[in-house]
Amino acid sequence: MAHLLVFVVAPEALLPGDGADWPSLVEAQRRGVGSGVALRLFRLPDDWPGSLQALVDSGKADVVGSDPIEPFDGRRSRLCDAVVPHFDPRSLWIGVYAISGSEPVAGDGHPACRLTISSVERLDAFPLREAENETCWFYPTEDGAYLSWENQRRLELQPGVLAEQPLQAQPIPYQRPDLHVLWSLMADDRSLTCVGLTYGRRRIDWPVVAAVPEACATWTSFALDSMAEAQYRELASCTVFAQDVFAQDSFGQDDPGAVPGAVG
C-alpha cells in the first residue's frame, strides 16, 4: 500500500467528509481558490545605469516576464519565479485527508492519480485562521536594486500535497499543530500576506491545472537599504499590456507572441 496526505482549502460547506472520492476533493479545491499572482524578482547590477522605462520601451521588460537583464557576475538575474494563490485565511477552511491505495504506477500528474485509491479518510477540518502562524521572508533581504514583475491570473488548483516525497509506504502521522500558514510582507505592504502553507516544516504544493493570466503585468523597480528608516523604496512602476490574452498553458513560461505596450 501507498499513503498520501492531501490538503484541500475551500469554504467549510464545500469540504467533503469521510469516504469522499478523489473527484470530490478535486472539485472542492477547484471551487475553493480561483486566483493568484505570478511574481518574478530580478537583481540589478550594482551601479546599473539604466531605467525601468528604458527596459519597457526596448521591449525587454515585457508582459510575460522575460529576464530583462543579461546575466552578470556569472549568474542570471532572476531570483524568484513563483505563483502565490490567493488563500484567504479569514474565510477559508482546510481539510486534511489520508488517502491510501495500491502501489503507485509510473506516470506524471498528481500523486493521487498514480494510485488505485482504496480509502479516503478525513483527518481534520478547521478554519484556516486557526492554524499555527509562521513568518517568512519572501522578498529579497540583501541591500541593492531589484525589479519585480507581477501578473494576476485565474487559477485552477488540485489538492495540495507535501513537496518532494508525497507518497510514502507507511501511513503519514498527522497533528494539527504541525500545519502552519506562512505570512510575509510583500514589497511595501503595511500588513502581512499569506504566501502558502507548510506541514511538518515541509512545503505544501498545489499543482496547477490551468492558469489564465490577465493581459497586463506590472513592473516595479525598487531598492532595499537596511540602514534607511524606510528600508523598501519604490523607484518606478510601469504596466505593460499584450494585444492578445495569454494562452492557458503560458503559466510560468515566456510567450513570444505577446506584444507589450506601456503606461507610466
Side-chain angles (χ1 to χ4, degrees), residues 8-31:
V8 176
V9 174
E12 178 186 9
L14 297 181
L15 290 177
D18 271 347
D21 57 12
W22 175 244
S24 67
L25 299 184
V26 171
E27 177 64 13
Q29 184 58 68
R30 186 187 70 81
R31 297 173 60 190

Side-chain angles (χ1 to χ4, degrees), residues 84 87-90 134-139 182-195 232:
V84 182
F87 296 122
D88 183 2
R90 298 169 299 179
E134 182 178 348
T135 56
C136 65
W137 292 105
F138 198 83
Y139 256 59
L182 294 177
W183 298 86
S184 177
L185 287 175
M186 303 281 284
D188 60 345
D189 286 353
R190 294 181 178 273
S191 59
L192 295 170
T193 297
C194 176
V195 295
Y232 173 95

Side-chain angles (χ1 to χ4, degrees), residues 3 64 112 134 152 216 256:
H3 301 270
V64 297
E134 182 178 348
Q152 300 292 329
C216 63

